[in-house]
Amino acid sequence: MQLFYANVIKKKVLQLHASIIEKNAYGIMFLGPSGIGKTTQAELWNKFCDALIINGDIVFVEEKENVFLGWGTPWHGSSPYCENTFVPVKALVVLKQASKNSIRELDGGEKVKAVSESVFYPRWLENGMELCLETLDHLLSSLPVYELSCRPDEDAVRLTEKTIFN
């Protein structure tokens, strides 16, 4: 995987610790540390919205002209989901566990901090950090990032769906 990443980072591709689903021909990425509920959210979207789970743990995001494409990978970590497909990314959702569901859009430093914690940085590669940070800057400038504090339930899915698609 490192060899693959060392080559694709040069083509504006980021590797993130995330899950990604496809709904309404768009991708939604769920980010956060291990155990936060990325795969659980993807499974809830599959159950309640018939969304396709593209990957449950490792996602590649490619910058192409005016769009970012989220790619499934053959690497799926602890999740069993790894579809060989891609989808234009509509939003990134950073997960927090909470007793009550709420969602808010992040901006500025909050956005950078929340997403950068889920990025794999190719420190072993000469100028890999520069390439990664440049693509990350474009990603964060182009797409909305939300913080979803939630329970693992249908209401969290509906709240997120309404926020992103309405």
Side-chain angles (χ1 to χ4, degrees), residues 20 25-28 67-70 86-91:
I20 185 168
Y26 288 102
I28 300 172
V67 69
F68 281 87
L69 302 176
F86 64 92
V87 65
V89 179
K90 186 161 182 74

mmCIF file with all atom_site columns, all heavy atoms in Angstrom, residues 20 25-28 67-70 86-91:
data_model
loop_
_atom_site.group_PDB
_atom_site.id
_atom_site.type_symbol
_atom_site.label_atom_id
_atom_site.label_alt_id
_atom_site.label_comp_id
_atom_site.label_asym_id
_atom_site.label_entity_id
_atom_site.label_seq_id
_atom_site.pdbx_PDB_ins_code
_atom_site.Cartn_x
_atom_site.Cartn_y
_atom_site.Cartn_z
_atom_site.occupancy
_atom_site.B_iso_or_equiv
_atom_site.pdbx_formal_charge
_atom_site.auth_seq_id
_atom_site.auth_comp_id
_atom_site.auth_asym_id
_atom_site.auth_atom_id
_atom_site.pdbx_PDB_model_num
ATOM 1   N N   . ILE A 1 20 ? -16.551 5.356  3.191   1.00 0.00 ? 20 ILE A N   1
ATOM 2   C CA  . ILE A 1 20 ? -17.228 6.146  2.166   1.00 0.00 ? 20 ILE A CA  1
ATOM 3   C C   . ILE A 1 20 ? -18.431 5.362  1.647   1.00 0.00 ? 20 ILE A C   1
ATOM 4   O O   . ILE A 1 20 ? -18.354 4.151  1.436   1.00 0.00 ? 20 ILE A O   1
ATOM 5   C CB  . ILE A 1 20 ? -16.283 6.556  1.011   1.00 0.00 ? 20 ILE A CB  1
ATOM 6   C CG1 . ILE A 1 20 ? -16.990 7.490  0.026   1.00 0.00 ? 20 ILE A CG1 1
ATOM 7   C CG2 . ILE A 1 20 ? -15.684 5.336  0.331   1.00 0.00 ? 20 ILE A CG2 1
ATOM 8   C CD1 . ILE A 1 20 ? -16.066 8.169  -0.972  1.00 0.00 ? 20 ILE A CD1 1
ATOM 9   N N   . ALA A 1 25 ? -25.743 9.311  -6.195  1.00 0.00 ? 25 ALA A N   1
ATOM 10  C CA  . ALA A 1 25 ? -24.610 9.480  -7.104  1.00 0.00 ? 25 ALA A CA  1
ATOM 11  C C   . ALA A 1 25 ? -23.492 10.342 -6.530  1.00 0.00 ? 25 ALA A C   1
ATOM 12  O O   . ALA A 1 25 ? -22.629 10.820 -7.264  1.00 0.00 ? 25 ALA A O   1
ATOM 13  C CB  . ALA A 1 25 ? -25.064 10.026 -8.464  1.00 0.00 ? 25 ALA A CB  1
ATOM 14  N N   . TYR A 1 26 ? -23.478 10.539 -5.223  1.00 0.00 ? 26 TYR A N   1
ATOM 15  C CA  . TYR A 1 26 ? -22.420 11.288 -4.538  1.00 0.00 ? 26 TYR A CA  1
ATOM 16  C C   . TYR A 1 26 ? -21.859 10.476 -3.387  1.00 0.00 ? 26 TYR A C   1
ATOM 17  O O   . TYR A 1 26 ? -22.538 9.607  -2.830  1.00 0.00 ? 26 TYR A O   1
ATOM 18  C CB  . TYR A 1 26 ? -22.958 12.612 -3.977  1.00 0.00 ? 26 TYR A CB  1
ATOM 19  C CG  . TYR A 1 26 ? -23.253 13.636 -5.022  1.00 0.00 ? 26 TYR A CG  1
ATOM 20  C CD1 . TYR A 1 26 ? -24.554 13.873 -5.420  1.00 0.00 ? 26 TYR A CD1 1
ATOM 21  C CD2 . TYR A 1 26 ? -22.229 14.373 -5.613  1.00 0.00 ? 26 TYR A CD2 1
ATOM 22  C CE1 . TYR A 1 26 ? -24.838 14.824 -6.393  1.00 0.00 ? 26 TYR A CE1 1
ATOM 23  C CE2 . TYR A 1 26 ? -22.506 15.318 -6.585  1.00 0.00 ? 26 TYR A CE2 1
ATOM 24  C CZ  . TYR A 1 26 ? -23.810 15.538 -6.974  1.00 0.00 ? 26 TYR A CZ  1
ATOM 25  O OH  . TYR A 1 26 ? -24.088 16.467 -7.933  1.00 0.00 ? 26 TYR A OH  1
ATOM 26  N N   . GLY A 1 27 ? -20.643 10.816 -3.017  1.00 0.00 ? 27 GLY A N   1
ATOM 27  C CA  . GLY A 1 27 ? -20.000 10.152 -1.899  1.00 0.00 ? 27 GLY A CA  1
ATOM 28  C C   . GLY A 1 27 ? -20.045 10.991 -0.645  1.00 0.00 ? 27 GLY A C   1
ATOM 29  O O   . GLY A 1 27 ? -19.928 12.216 -0.689  1.00 0.00 ? 27 GLY A O   1
ATOM 30  N N   . ILE A 1 28 ? -20.228 10.310 0.465   1.00 0.00 ? 28 ILE A N   1
ATOM 31  C CA  . ILE A 1 28 ? -20.101 10.928 1.783   1.00 0.00 ? 28 ILE A CA  1
ATOM 32  C C   . ILE A 1 28 ? -19.043 10.125 2.514   1.00 0.00 ? 28 ILE A C   1
ATOM 33  O O   . ILE A 1 28 ? -19.122 8.893  2.592   1.00 0.00 ? 28 ILE A O   1
ATOM 34  C CB  . ILE A 1 28 ? -21.426 10.901 2.568   1.00 0.00 ? 28 ILE A CB  1
ATOM 35  C CG1 . ILE A 1 28 ? -22.506 11.652 1.804   1.00 0.00 ? 28 ILE A CG1 1
ATOM 36  C CG2 . ILE A 1 28 ? -21.226 11.502 3.966   1.00 0.00 ? 28 ILE A CG2 1
ATOM 37  C CD1 . ILE A 1 28 ? -23.886 11.518 2.413   1.00 0.00 ? 28 ILE A CD1 1
ATOM 38  N N   . VAL A 1 67 ? -13.470 18.462 -9.216  1.00 0.00 ? 67 VAL A N   1
ATOM 39  C CA  . VAL A 1 67 ? -14.158 17.468 -8.395  1.00 0.00 ? 67 VAL A CA  1
ATOM 40  C C   . VAL A 1 67 ? -13.127 16.619 -7.642  1.00 0.00 ? 67 VAL A C   1
ATOM 41  O O   . VAL A 1 67 ? -11.977 16.506 -8.071  1.00 0.00 ? 67 VAL A O   1
ATOM 42  C CB  . VAL A 1 67 ? -15.069 16.572 -9.286  1.00 0.00 ? 67 VAL A CB  1
ATOM 43  C CG1 . VAL A 1 67 ? -14.258 15.688 -10.194 1.00 0.00 ? 67 VAL A CG1 1
ATOM 44  C CG2 . VAL A 1 67 ? -16.044 15.777 -8.466  1.00 0.00 ? 67 VAL A CG2 1
ATOM 45  N N   . PHE A 1 68 ? -13.558 16.078 -6.532  1.00 0.00 ? 68 PHE A N   1
ATOM 46  C CA  . PHE A 1 68 ? -12.754 15.103 -5.800  1.00 0.00 ? 68 PHE A CA  1
ATOM 47  C C   . PHE A 1 68 ? -13.484 13.767 -5.879  1.00 0.00 ? 68 PHE A C   1
ATOM 48  O O   . PHE A 1 68 ? -14.668 13.684 -5.559  1.00 0.00 ? 68 PHE A O   1
ATOM 49  C CB  . PHE A 1 68 ? -12.563 15.523 -4.341  1.00 0.00 ? 68 PHE A CB  1
ATOM 50  C CG  . PHE A 1 68 ? -11.498 16.565 -4.182  1.00 0.00 ? 68 PHE A CG  1
ATOM 51  C CD1 . PHE A 1 68 ? -11.810 17.903 -4.310  1.00 0.00 ? 68 PHE A CD1 1
ATOM 52  C CD2 . PHE A 1 68 ? -10.182 16.202 -3.930  1.00 0.00 ? 68 PHE A CD2 1
ATOM 53  C CE1 . PHE A 1 68 ? -10.830 18.874 -4.189  1.00 0.00 ? 68 PHE A CE1 1
ATOM 54  C CE2 . PHE A 1 68 ? -9.190  17.158 -3.811  1.00 0.00 ? 68 PHE A CE2 1
ATOM 55  C CZ  . PHE A 1 68 ? -9.514  18.506 -3.938  1.00 0.00 ? 68 PHE A CZ  1
ATOM 56  N N   . LEU A 1 69 ? -12.758 12.746 -6.312  1.00 0.00 ? 69 LEU A N   1
ATOM 57  C CA  . LEU A 1 69 ? -13.329 11.411 -6.444  1.00 0.00 ? 69 LEU A CA  1
ATOM 58  C C   . LEU A 1 69 ? -12.878 10.552 -5.269  1.00 0.00 ? 69 LEU A C   1
ATOM 59  O O   . LEU A 1 69 ? -11.688 10.480 -4.975  1.00 0.00 ? 69 LEU A O   1
ATOM 60  C CB  . LEU A 1 69 ? -12.881 10.760 -7.754  1.00 0.00 ? 69 LEU A CB  1
ATOM 61  C CG  . LEU A 1 69 ? -13.225 11.510 -9.032  1.00 0.00 ? 69 LEU A CG  1
ATOM 62  C CD1 . LEU A 1 69 ? -12.627 10.797 -10.239 1.00 0.00 ? 69 LEU A CD1 1
ATOM 63  C CD2 . LEU A 1 69 ? -14.737 11.656 -9.178  1.00 0.00 ? 69 LEU A CD2 1
ATOM 64  N N   . GLY A 1 70 ? -13.838 9.902  -4.612  1.00 0.00 ? 70 GLY A N   1
ATOM 65  C CA  . GLY A 1 70 ? -13.535 8.964  -3.538  1.00 0.00 ? 70 GLY A CA  1
ATOM 66  C C   . GLY A 1 70 ? -13.501 7.562  -4.109  1.00 0.00 ? 70 GLY A C   1
ATOM 67  O O   . GLY A 1 70 ? -14.459 7.130  -4.759  1.00 0.00 ? 70 GLY A O   1
ATOM 68  N N   . PHE A 1 86 ? -15.726 4.274  -7.767  1.00 0.00 ? 86 PHE A N   1
ATOM 69  C CA  . PHE A 1 86 ? -15.451 5.623  -7.277  1.00 0.00 ? 86 PHE A CA  1
ATOM 70  C C   . PHE A 1 86 ? -16.711 6.456  -7.387  1.00 0.00 ? 86 PHE A C   1
ATOM 71  O O   . PHE A 1 86 ? -17.647 6.113  -8.101  1.00 0.00 ? 86 PHE A O   1
ATOM 72  C CB  . PHE A 1 86 ? -14.303 6.277  -8.046  1.00 0.00 ? 86 PHE A CB  1
ATOM 73  C CG  . PHE A 1 86 ? -14.599 6.501  -9.503  1.00 0.00 ? 86 PHE A CG  1
ATOM 74  C CD1 . PHE A 1 86 ? -15.149 7.706  -9.928  1.00 0.00 ? 86 PHE A CD1 1
ATOM 75  C CD2 . PHE A 1 86 ? -14.342 5.528  -10.442 1.00 0.00 ? 86 PHE A CD2 1
ATOM 76  C CE1 . PHE A 1 86 ? -15.438 7.924  -11.273 1.00 0.00 ? 86 PHE A CE1 1
ATOM 77  C CE2 . PHE A 1 86 ? -14.619 5.725  -11.783 1.00 0.00 ? 86 PHE A CE2 1
ATOM 78  C CZ  . PHE A 1 86 ? -15.170 6.928  -12.197 1.00 0.00 ? 86 PHE A CZ  1
ATOM 79  N N   . VAL A 1 87 ? -16.703 7.585  -6.681  1.00 0.00 ? 87 VAL A N   1
ATOM 80  C CA  . VAL A 1 87 ? -17.863 8.469  -6.655  1.00 0.00 ? 87 VAL A CA  1
ATOM 81  C C   . VAL A 1 87 ? -17.375 9.889  -6.363  1.00 0.00 ? 87 VAL A C   1
ATOM 82  O O   . VAL A 1 87 ? -16.401 10.075 -5.634  1.00 0.00 ? 87 VAL A O   1
ATOM 83  C CB  . VAL A 1 87 ? -18.877 7.976  -5.590  1.00 0.00 ? 87 VAL A CB  1
ATOM 84  C CG1 . VAL A 1 87 ? -18.316 8.064  -4.191  1.00 0.00 ? 87 VAL A CG1 1
ATOM 85  C CG2 . VAL A 1 87 ? -20.193 8.677  -5.691  1.00 0.00 ? 87 VAL A CG2 1
ATOM 86  N N   . PRO A 1 88 ? -18.010 10.922 -6.953  1.00 0.00 ? 88 PRO A N   1
ATOM 87  C CA  . PRO A 1 88 ? -17.638 12.295 -6.590  1.00 0.00 ? 88 PRO A CA  1
ATOM 88  C C   . PRO A 1 88 ? -18.045 12.564 -5.133  1.00 0.00 ? 88 PRO A C   1
ATOM 89  O O   . PRO A 1 88 ? -19.172 12.278 -4.736  1.00 0.00 ? 88 PRO A O   1
ATOM 90  C CB  . PRO A 1 88 ? -18.425 13.172 -7.559  1.00 0.00 ? 88 PRO A CB  1
ATOM 91  C CG  . PRO A 1 88 ? -19.431 12.299 -8.205  1.00 0.00 ? 88 PRO A CG  1
ATOM 92  C CD  . PRO A 1 88 ? -19.036 10.879 -7.997  1.00 0.00 ? 88 PRO A CD  1
ATOM 93  N N   . VAL A 1 89 ? -17.123 13.092 -4.369  1.00 0.00 ? 89 VAL A N   1
ATOM 94  C CA  . VAL A 1 89 ? -17.371 13.335 -2.945  1.00 0.00 ? 89 VAL A CA  1
ATOM 95  C C   . VAL A 1 89 ? -18.164 14.627 -2.774  1.00 0.00 ? 89 VAL A C   1
ATOM 96  O O   . VAL A 1 89 ? -17.808 15.669 -3.328  1.00 0.00 ? 89 VAL A O   1
ATOM 97  C CB  . VAL A 1 89 ? -16.053 13.399 -2.153  1.00 0.00 ? 89 VAL A CB  1
ATOM 98  C CG1 . VAL A 1 89 ? -16.317 13.680 -0.674  1.00 0.00 ? 89 VAL A CG1 1
ATOM 99  C CG2 . VAL A 1 89 ? -15.259 12.111 -2.321  1.00 0.00 ? 89 VAL A CG2 1
ATOM 100 N N   . LYS A 1 90 ? -19.233 14.553 -2.009  1.00 0.00 ? 90 LYS A N   1
ATOM 101 C CA  . LYS A 1 90 ? -20.082 15.708 -1.730  1.00 0.00 ? 90 LYS A CA  1
ATOM 102 C C   . LYS A 1 90 ? -19.738 16.359 -0.395  1.00 0.00 ? 90 LYS A C   1
ATOM 103 O O   . LYS A 1 90 ? -19.824 17.571 -0.248  1.00 0.00 ? 90 LYS A O   1
ATOM 104 C CB  . LYS A 1 90 ? -21.554 15.305 -1.748  1.00 0.00 ? 90 LYS A CB  1
ATOM 105 C CG  . LYS A 1 90 ? -22.509 16.481 -1.610  1.00 0.00 ? 90 LYS A CG  1
ATOM 106 C CD  . LYS A 1 90 ? -23.890 16.106 -2.087  1.00 0.00 ? 90 LYS A CD  1
ATOM 107 C CE  . LYS A 1 90 ? -24.867 17.256 -2.023  1.00 0.00 ? 90 LYS A CE  1
ATOM 108 N NZ  . LYS A 1 90 ? -24.656 18.251 -3.068  1.00 0.00 ? 90 LYS A NZ  1
ATOM 109 N N   . ALA A 1 91 ? -19.350 15.552 0.601   1.00 0.00 ? 91 ALA A N   1
ATOM 110 C CA  . ALA A 1 91 ? -19.071 16.095 1.927   1.00 0.00 ? 91 ALA A CA  1
ATOM 111 C C   . ALA A 1 91 ? -18.237 15.122 2.746   1.00 0.00 ? 91 ALA A C   1
ATOM 112 O O   . ALA A 1 91 ? -18.259 13.913 2.507   1.00 0.00 ? 91 ALA A O   1
ATOM 113 C CB  . ALA A 1 91 ? -20.374 16.395 2.661   1.00 0.00 ? 91 ALA A CB  1
#
